[in-house]
Amino acid sequence: AYGAFGLAAVSGAMFLLQDYFLKNHRLSMLFFQLPPVEELVRGTARLALFGFALLTVAFTAGLVSRLPVEGLKLWGSVAIWALYGAILGLRSMRRISSKRFASAAALIFVLAVLTLPAIHYLSRQVP
């Protein structure tokens, strides 16, 4: 799931870069190497949806297996799942622009990457 979220973040960052080039009329060689804006938006949404679905399956498998999970790790993953679910829901209702969706997909992944190591460390400290 986090691999798909990471790819969605990269795709979203490429969209933001492409958008910057277009808005500022700065067409460098990098601009011509990037995919079209529409493909980047669709790719970001598909990857985020795929990661969301995989994380949902992982939660379901965890519930079925009834294996113990540290609460902090579970709630951190639930928070990431809820954030992606929120932006995907807003996108499906057409309440969020493509630029904000791409920004949110990238920022949520950065948030996950920065907080999950701390959550892992803190969950080991709890007796």
Side-chain angles (χ1 to χ4, degrees):
Y2 286 98
F5 291 149
L7 289 173
V10 170
S11 179
M14 288 181 358
F15 170 82
L16 294 172
L17 188 61
Q18 185 89 304
D19 184 64
Y20 172 80
F21 285 142
L22 289 170
K23 295 273 166 85
N24 293 309
H25 305 288
R26 295 183 182 177
L27 304 181
S28 67
M29 286 303 293
L30 181 59
F31 173 81
F32 295 105
Q33 300 300 321
L34 294 172
V37 175
E38 296 93 15
E39 288 182 27
L40 289 171
V41 171
R42 280 194 307 265
T44 303
R46 286 178 183 161
L47 286 164
L49 183 61
F50 184 63
F52 182 78
L54 284 176
L55 198 52
T56 303
V57 168
F59 286 145
T60 305
L63 285 172
V64 169
S65 70
R66 295 185 183 185
L67 293 174
V69 178
E70 289 129 12
L72 199 54
K73 285 184 183 181
L74 174 66
W75 291 113
S77 295
V78 167
I80 298 300
W81 178 82
L83 288 171
Y84 274 107
I87 66 167
L88 286 165
L90 288 172
R91 185 177 189 286
S92 72
M93 294 185 300
R94 300 184 191 276
R95 298 263 191 186
I96 189 170
S97 68
S98 296
K99 186 174 183 179
R100 287 185 188 243
F101 178 77
S103 298
L107 287 174
I108 294 169
F109 181 72
V110 168
L111 175 73
V113 167
L114 293 177
T115 59
L116 284 179
I119 289 171
H120 178 70
Y121 175 76
L122 291 173
S123 67
R124 291 187 352 189
Q125 302 301 318
V126 176

